Amino acid sequence: MNFIRIGVQGVSGLALLLAAAVSFGCSSQPKGQLSSAPSGSVANLMKQRGLSEADVSAALQTYTPTGKKDEYYTFASGGHGGNLIVIGVPSMRILKYVGVFTPEPWQGYGYGDQSNEVLGGGKRFGKTMTWGDMHHPALSETGGEYDGKFLFVNDKANARIAVIDLHDFVTKQIVTSQLIQSDHGATFVTPNTEYVVESSQYPAPLGGSYAPIEEYKDKYRGAVIFWKFDRDKGRIDPERSFAMELPPYMQDLSDAGKLASEGWVFINSFNTEMSYGGTLEGNPPMESGASQNDMDYLHIIDLVNAERVSKEDGKTKTIAGMKVIPLGVANEEGLLHLVGEPKSPHGVDITPDGKELVVSGKLDTHATIYSWEKLKGLIDSKKYEGKDTYGVPILPFKDSIRGQIEIGLGPLHTQFDDKGNAYTSVFIESTVAKWSVKDLKLIGKQKVHYNVGHIVAAEGDTVSPDGGYLIAMNKWAIDRFAKVGPLLPQNFQLIGIDNDEMQLLYDMPLPLGEPHYAQMIKADKLDPIDIYKPAGMDVVTDEHSEFAVKAKEERIERKPDGVHVYMTAVRSHFTPDIIRVKKGETVHLHITNVEQAHDATHGFTIGSYNVHSSLEPGKHVDVTFVADKEGTFPFYCTEFCSALHLEMAGYFLVEPG
Ligand code: CUK
Ligand code: CUA
């Protein structure tokens, strides 16, 4: 199945080869001098670098020679960096950072009209957010399989959702709703990407108004938003999106049902105690207040019927521009059910066949396996053990599970392979536990370094996981890398999971924010473009720009709204190369890279004006700004594009007004 990895036999074969090399006299080589025999070289290198056989086996499974490409792409959230990180597997080479929630200068993202409009889509209370707390990327799916077309991701801090088009790896859209004030159960897609799920984490009055915290139980609420994805347009359609009000528990991770459970959505929660802190006011802190009950609630949502109800007259309210199904209506229509889940649950992960749900409790040592058939039976027969404060029916826990498996201290997230095994990250213990889904038996554990959060296996949350590779996304690195001061990178550890015993293959520091989740997709499912064709493409609308500039049609025009500069970039000059304006004039730059050669990217900057663009071949950008400082400002190309790159420059002259 995989030509790069070598199995157990491969390793012992290698050992024999190396042993033979050593006995052929390599050891008699003077220290530091390599034999000309290749086998001898390896043995000597091992000796010099103090590498074990396991190390060499790991190296051979990850080393990717120049020009060879990776088998998988991993799309990792960039955490506080607010950008998406694209990593090749098994090499663990970083291939790209994609600007998403944060301005990203290399791509000119957030420094021009097009990308500013994208970031502007995520304005909260009129303010553009310039950072994000990215958690969960979700690749678009067809029939429960990643299809390699789009990627969605959330910003927990500002309740934003972004759409990235994988045909060019560019963020096309950011949406947000002031209905909720944070999110965490996002983003998760339905098996055919009809909806992108976003659920709130910290309850607040819906719509974002003020209410005294003492009125928490009455006025504070959670909500889940179902953002409708329009695949033809490649954009979320807010008009066709809707939400459902939820009790003020802290909703956590979610997952969309698939196959057997398609059409249903599952959301964990903690703090069903509805504790809200106030330590200086004599209340318990949230961390203990929220951990009193033995059980929290898993939310089970009937999305198919919720969608129907959302379209019926009088069944919804509009809050902050979002159509919302109130809790009362959800109860009347039987759209929402709860079932107990052990203490402070975190991850909920549906098995590849869609028949079971794995829930792990942070303060529990077990993973709990719910049977969808049993849950559905209880829902259909209305077998409740009671209702919560808000009238939401609660299904009996004991009748809804198939069993539990003892995993270890602090189980969090679960992924699957192609052989019926599950892998669960164990945070406190710093291990990845492998277990059999069929007989709920622990198979083995792999130590990781340290405090693993999410794990991601190759296509490990789809209807047909690949096996092969798993990455442990460790929160702490401690002693793994050369010291870099008190703020340490995260440690991604690549683990081989093809054999019975897991094998640690590679440590990769990830020094830009705290990635939470990632998804790993077979590389051949993606087919990104090399250049924008024809030249003059607006990469946010994906249409030819009305301001596109052709060679020989460069010009400067004065219009009532300011000075329009129609400019082309080509190795190795900008045309025009002198721009004269008067102080106070508004400047509209329209720049097209007219090149159609692979990788012929130019950059454009005007010093002291905070203007920067990336001009990939065929790309068009517009930049609007006021020439509010008089002076002489060189502009130049910021990508080393040719031997005469330094000469690709000009002057922006601002005469006193
Ligand atoms: S969370 Cu970070 S380790 Cu946001 Cu998915 Cu679990
Ligand atoms: Cu164009 Cu450097």
Side-chain angles (χ1 to χ4, degrees), residues 51 159 185 262 315:
L51 301 179
E262 182 164 355
K315 295 263 168 88

Side-chain angles (χ1 to χ4, degrees), residues 135-136 184 253 346 412-413 453-454 475 514 516-517:
H135 279 240
H136 305 105
H184 193 231
L253 285 207
H346 188 46
L412 297 185
H413 300 287
H454 275 275
K475 306 288 185 190
E514 178 199 331
H516 289 259
Y517 189 38

Side-chain angles (χ1 to χ4, degrees), residues 569-574 595 601-603 636-642 644-646 648:
V570 70
R571 276 165 288 172
S572 301
H573 51 270
F574 294 107
E595 303 220 29
T601 295
H602 302 283
Y636 68 92
C637 172
T638 55
E639 284 268 337
F640 208 110
C641 53
S642 72
L644 295 175
H645 150 79
L646 295 176
M648 191 166 175

Side-chain angles (χ1 to χ4, degrees), residues 456-476:
V456 54
E459 310 222 343
D461 63 3
T462 67
V463 294
S464 64
D466 281 7
Y469 301 109
L470 180 144
I471 300 171
M473 305 165 77
N474 305 308
K475 306 288 185 190
W476 291 40

Side-chain angles (χ1 to χ4, degrees), residues 141 189-191 255-266 350 354:
E141 294 179 14
V189 299
T190 52
D255 203 355
K258 49 191 171 228
L259 298 177
S261 51
E262 182 164 355
W264 296 77
V265 168
F266 307 91
I350 319 278

Side-chain angles (χ1 to χ4, degrees), residues 473-491:
M473 305 165 77
N474 305 308
K475 306 288 185 190
W476 291 40
I478 309 182
D479 58 356
R480 291 295 103 172
F481 306 110
K483 288 165 168 261
V484 289
L487 181 61
L488 270 57
Q490 303 264 303
N491 184 14

